[in-house]
Amino acid sequence: MDIQELRTAHPEHWNKAAAIRALALDAVAQANSGHSGMPIGMADVATVLFEKHMKFDAAAPEWADRDRFILSAGHGSMLLYALLYLTGDAEITLDQVKNFRQMGAKTAGHPENFLAKAIETTTGPLGQGVSMAVGFAMAEETLRGQFGKNVVDHHTYVIAGDGCLMEGVSQEAIGIAGRQKLGKLIVLWDNNNITIDGTVDLSDRTDQISRFKASGWHVQEIDGHDPVAIDEAIAGAKKASKPSMIACKTHIALGHAAQDTSKGHGALTNGDQNAAAKQAWGWTAAPFDIPADIKSAWEAIGSRGAADRAEWQDRHDKLSTARQKLFGRVMDRDVPTKLSAVIKALKKQASEDKPKVATRKASEMVLEVVNPIMPETFGGSADLTGSNNTKTGGLGVFDETNRKGRYVYWGIREHGMAAAMNGMALHGGIRPYGGTFMCFTDYARPAMRLAALQQIPTVFVMTHDSIGLGEDGPTHQPVEHLAISRATPNTYVFRPADLVETAEAWEIAFSSKTTPSVLSLTRQNLPTVRTEHKTKNMTAQGAYVLAEADGKRQAILIATGSEVEIALQARDLLQAEGIGTRVVSMPCWELFEEQDEATRRRVLPAGPVRVAVEAAGRMGWDRWLCGENGNRKKAGFIGMDGFGASAPAEELYVKFGITAEATAAKVRALLSGEDTGL
Amino acid sequence: MDIQELRTAHPEHWNKAAAIRALALDAVAQANSGHSGMPIGMADVATVLFEKHMKFDAAAPEWADRDRFILSAGHGSMLLYALLYLTGDAEITLDQVKNFRQMGAKTAGHPENFLAKAIETTTGPLGQGVSMAVGFAMAEETLRGQFGKNVVDHHTYVIAGDGCLMEGVSQEAIGIAGRQKLGKLIVLWDNNNITIDGTVDLSDRTDQISRFKASGWHVQEIDGHDPVAIDEAIAGAKKASKPSMIACKTHIALGHAAQDTSKGHGALTNGDQNAAAKQAWGWTAAPFDIPADIKSAWEAIGSRGAADRAEWQDRHDKLSTARQKLFGRVMDRDVPTKLSAVIKALKKQASEDKPKVATRKASEMVLEVVNPIMPETFGGSADLTGSNNTKTGGLGVFDETNRKGRYVYWGIREHGMAAAMNGMALHGGIRPYGGTFMCFTDYARPAMRLAALQQIPTVFVMTHDSIGLGEDGPTHQPVEHLAISRATPNTYVFRPADLVETAEAWEIAFSSKTTPSVLSLTRQNLPTVRTEHKTKNMTAQGAYVLAEADGKRQAILIATGSEVEIALQARDLLQAEGIGTRVVSMPCWELFEEQDEATRRRVLPAGPVRVAVEAAGRMGWDRWLCGENGNRKKAGFIGMDGFGASAPAEELYVKFGITAEATAAKVRALLSGEDTGL
């Protein structure tokens, strides 16, 4: 690569791009940590994108109709921070750039969406950004379908690296985007042929051009250092009716001694080499210093969109008041005022009718009444629509012919579904929920964690949540997945016992602004246990007294979901023997943890024997059994201690000893001292 | 599809295939559960494969050089059970077929490798089979490289469905196989255009032919009901020097009223429709009855390989005694007798030298001495070789030019790596280990669970195991991943504190025959804490007294990995104040659980204050703090209660309060009653 030629061919472009390169080099060197090579390699692409194409206004990073920019190759975070600082973002200041990767800085090692308004997504785990981008583009299509292109009409741009394309989730994302003809999604692939272990062909020789074409993408190949080619390619991509991938042939760490090597991927901290690189770039300014003319050229780019935004505001203000209010409400993640009444009515009806239904079916019954009053909900399933019960009447199917459809067939792609849902939630205006089997939490995990970390209210509808699914056997029977979800910070894990609790769980999930929810739902039918109507959302307390002890309280049974029925039956057995037994339903550990100590003690007072019943592993239960005012000598657990088996569900419950009889026997043994507890 | 034409064109073939169809239909109908359509649709392909190509001897399902058959579309399990019963497998009898999906049957809902010798893999979670198959093929190549084609020379056949190909992990597998030119891997794709939600194009329009070609595969397209075409295609695939995919156009539930519909995917239980299907197939035998001529034709197929096996045995017996012994040892998963001595010597040296190294480096030091004496080990990393420290001198790199290489660059494919490692372990003769960052346990999860369920000793080398990795921030800092792994049945989770414990952990991991291991290793340097040499493997006890209290024992600090150092420093602070403090190192919860109660009580006696220190979430710790002979009022936890942050590691430990000072303060507060415990 002849740097001199590049410099002289397009000097103004070059200088703007060099500013990115210099900032990335300086910040990483100062932090002695980070990734220099990618920002240096992709500076030309990013410069042209922001200068010529990105619709944004640095003064209004939350403008609803801005183009979205997602740095899927999140390790190259300095590229993003440099762009934000240069264009005049109010939060990513020069001080922030200088504090790259330091305590409390907004310029974290990888972009964190919750640290600055202009950071759209948290990326770093590879493949997530490009997959979330699919959700961004779907959200845009949906909102455009609903509100019209006068208020919603923008692109989603992604910079992705080889790692993003090697991760399997990228194939799921590519497949979805191609199928759905997401023409406003444009992926710029940093085709630098370098991974951490060496050249890409050490591990992969996939022809990415053919691969994307095979899934229905528009594909172009360009020199990623030629600003004219970059400009033309992006312009071409914007015209395409398919999602577009531009393979940008670049040199990682361009102009540095580490150029085109895997060493160039990481932190370039050698002072002499860095000085030589700057010399090659013709960059003479002091570290972190951006010459005024270059800075003002960048700031002009940052303010270029102000006029667009003003025009958009005019168009927006021409919407009817009701439409404006609705648009504002869904973008703000506010729920409609009607939600509470609809949920209460359903609960009341359920307590009266006492249906015996699976909670997956109960979930559908809730969605049937909620979806009509919340146009922002968007459902789907990873090819288990009829099993997850996620599709309600009137949603319509989202595809290239119907952008108003609010249900999508995600295909057998749990991971891609979860990541795309995150993208929809991040875009705003949409409340996505999607279903698969609880056991396949495993497939969706990386995206479920990112939902929690990014503080977005994605809803994961996880049905077939225990051995209760029966014959499909241990590959499909979750035993550790409640623990997995509960162990994840900022995640509500709901395991409702009946239609009433399911309605309460959905109300919380759909009202949440910053916490994702996991709904753990049964395949098998369950009786209504909340037969006395309460307007209060009891699930919001996390755990509550469902049935009080008759006579002296000697035992407390704590159960969730399908095992609440078993606990109630065990209570009947014990009460018949004069053993006063309270049953606590505990649909959400996290919300119970949030209660004050007095509330927690009222539900779980010291003294009585405590036995938890849950058709899952014991991990975590000790906290509620022998911590939290409990006593290990008077505590027991009825659940699974290994994988399940293939057989009819009722037989499995007997085989694994999760029965009312076993629960009652455990209480008796603990009361007598024959069982010495945990 | 004109069934009559198929029947008359190749009547002998047809009858054999019809036997599979009838058994699948009968077994699913009797169980009232399962998947009828796939076995019916793929019966022709399976019949030709087994009749004309599969090298196997039904009398010896564990013959080392048999062809491997993997039913990646595991829901079609009746296809496999029918094949095994028909060919005369000793375990999958007619009674087993009749007990399909019932309690205790070997014919579980999805194939379970631990239920019958002839079942190679557990499948059902889609995409896993095809990805494990890549590992089978790599193991075959490796062993052929090591032992010669006289003893190792077989194919790996896979039947995969649309679901397998839509799951992202399939792209990782396809990429690895194409890159590595695994010419003996042959995937038969059941191209029936049906998923559970409807036709494939509802969710995907990927041109699979182009997609596989893009990754370097040999691809053919055939009519999957034409036995001649099937035979020719498999013959062609065997000749190709690349991995081969045969797109078999089939009709799901061929000849049934549900043919070509998503209803045909599930359980076909309508008696009239099933009778009509049998009539269309020309099948007049009673349910579960196979006419004698057809059964004996199938049994001839089952015994066809006996001669091959005898010849193989002759060739095998011509190996030198030492080579025969080695081959037998590695296939039996036995460790070399030298292993114990090598580990002891390393431990002794470490206790003397007291190196201050990261446990990821310690792991490399162990592998440097173990890999040379265990030719069956096979290392790799998901593009983090230099960070995971998984590559030791002299392993050589596995690729198409060097099948003796024992290290592979897996690429940025944690999931594909984990699944392929499972395949290698299942094949036998190989002990795979592979590295990524602990946080990316998330990506590998579905395969890690299958390692546990399948009872295979895959080793997952998970480095950068806490906030101790520093600046990369919360996307890369595990906080819930120890809990996730610990919650999984049949999994050893090791978090060693120094080189000595790391050596002990590796000894257990490499000696395990039926349990996978997760090694949770630090990025940051740690001092040697086991400074007194013990020949006994203390890690095998799960937890043990590392430092005894001086004077009256008032406190027990329990720590793992990098926090053992902190616990020891806290002990120094407390002892200086006269507070007798024991430090328990607890590198493996699961092994501690396996100890008898007396041992557990010796390590964790009742009485003293207990504080656990671990730079991760609290999930599960209550068991060791207030259960297990503990007392909630005298128990505390020092760790994380949310996600981490981006900053230098030392600062993060202070920020999150995981320090010796905080630990000592917690002990003091608990002793004084100021802190009321958990």
Side-chain angles (χ1 to χ4, degrees), chain A residues 31 33 35 101-104 107-110 112 114 122-128 162-163 166-169 171-172 175-176 179-181 195-198 201-207 210-211 214-215 381-386 400 409-415 439-440 442-443 445-446 449-450 452-453 471-481 483-484 486-490 589 601 606 618-620 622-623 626-632 642-643 646-648 651-652 655 678, chain B residues 31 33 35 101-104 107-110 112 114 122-128 162-163 166-169 171-172 175-176 179-181 195-198 201-207 210-211 214-215 381-386 400 407 409-415 439-440 442-443 445-446 449-450 452-453 471-481 483-484 486-490 589 606 618-620 622-623 626-632 642-643 646-648 651-652 655 678:
Chain A
S33 168
H35 301 80
R101 289 183 161 236
Q102 303 310 302
M103 185 69 76
T107 48
H110 293 81
E112 308 290 353
F114 48 89
T122 296
T123 50
L126 294 174
Q128 296 298 317
D162 292 297
M166 256 197 257
E167 290 287 359
V169 69
Q171 182 64 25
E172 303 185 21
I176 297 165
R179 164 64 187 85
Q180 298 295 348
K181 294 205 187 333
T195 74
I196 291 173
D197 277 355
D201 73 348
L202 279 181
S203 57
D204 193 42
R205 291 181 183 163
T206 296
D207 172 359
S210 300
R211 178 189 169 208
S215 286
S381 164
D383 200 44
L384 290 167
T385 294
E400 78 282 18
Y409 294 110
W410 290 109
I412 301 107
R413 303 180 178 114
E414 302 80 9
H415 195 176
C439 211
F440 302 144
D442 285 348
Y443 282 85
R445 258 299 295 174
R449 181 177 210 255
L450 266 193
L453 180 56
E471 293 89 342
D472 272 346
T475 53
H476 285 55
Q477 290 163 354
V479 293
E480 70 271 45
H481 301 85
I484 287 172
R486 288 169 178 157
T488 308
N490 190 39
W589 288 17
R601 294 218 168 185
R618 175 175 151 190
M619 173 72 75
D622 291 68
R623 173 164 190 168
C626 45
E628 196 64 29
N629 220 21
N631 180 341
R632 68 177 159 80
F643 292 111
S646 171
E651 296 177 34
L652 290 172
K655 174 184 166 70
L678 294 172
Chain B
S33 166
H35 300 80
R101 291 186 159 233
Q102 302 310 302
M103 185 69 77
T107 46
H110 293 82
E112 308 290 354
F114 48 89
T122 295
T123 48
L126 294 174
Q128 295 298 316
D162 292 297
M166 257 197 256
E167 290 287 359
V169 69
Q171 182 63 24
E172 303 184 21
I176 297 166
R179 165 62 187 86
Q180 297 296 348
K181 294 204 190 331
T195 75
I196 291 173
D197 277 353
D201 73 348
L202 279 182
S203 57
D204 194 41
R205 292 181 183 164
T206 296
D207 171 359
S210 300
R211 177 188 169 208
S215 286
S381 165
D383 200 45
L384 290 167
T385 295
E400 79 281 19
Y407 191 84
Y409 295 111
W410 290 110
I412 300 109
R413 303 180 178 115
E414 302 80 10
H415 194 177
C439 211
F440 303 144
D442 286 348
Y443 282 85
R445 258 301 294 176
R449 182 177 209 256
L450 266 192
L453 180 56
E471 292 89 342
D472 272 345
T475 54
H476 286 55
Q477 290 163 354
V479 294
E480 70 272 44
H481 301 83
I484 287 172
R486 287 168 178 158
T488 308
N490 190 39
W589 288 17
R618 176 174 150 190
M619 173 71 75
D622 292 67
R623 174 165 190 167
C626 45
E628 195 65 29
N629 220 20
N631 180 339
R632 68 177 159 80
F643 291 112
S646 171
E651 296 177 34
L652 290 172
K655 173 184 168 69
L678 294 172

Side-chain angles (χ1 to χ4, degrees), chain A residues 272-345:
Chain A
D272 293 343
Q273 290 181 352
N274 288 1
K278 285 188 180 177
Q279 195 168 24
W281 302 336
W283 190 263
T284 54
F288 296 106
D289 184 34
I290 306 295
D293 58 330
I294 298 178
K295 184 70 167 81
S296 61
W298 267 112
E299 286 175 2
I301 295 171
S303 58
R304 173 174 54 74
D308 283 343
R309 184 164 67 90
E311 287 168 27
W312 176 86
Q313 191 66 49
D314 284 347
R315 294 194 303 273
H316 169 272
D317 295 350
K318 285 187 187 120
L319 288 179
S320 70
T321 312
R323 300 287 287 166
Q324 286 186 41
K325 268 182 74 172
L326 178 62
F327 188 72
R329 182 180 72 69
V330 299
M331 292 303 288
D332 288 347
R333 292 183 190 157
D334 287 327
V335 293
T337 47
K338 265 185 285 189
L339 177 63
S340 168
V342 162
I343 293 288
K344 282 192 185 79

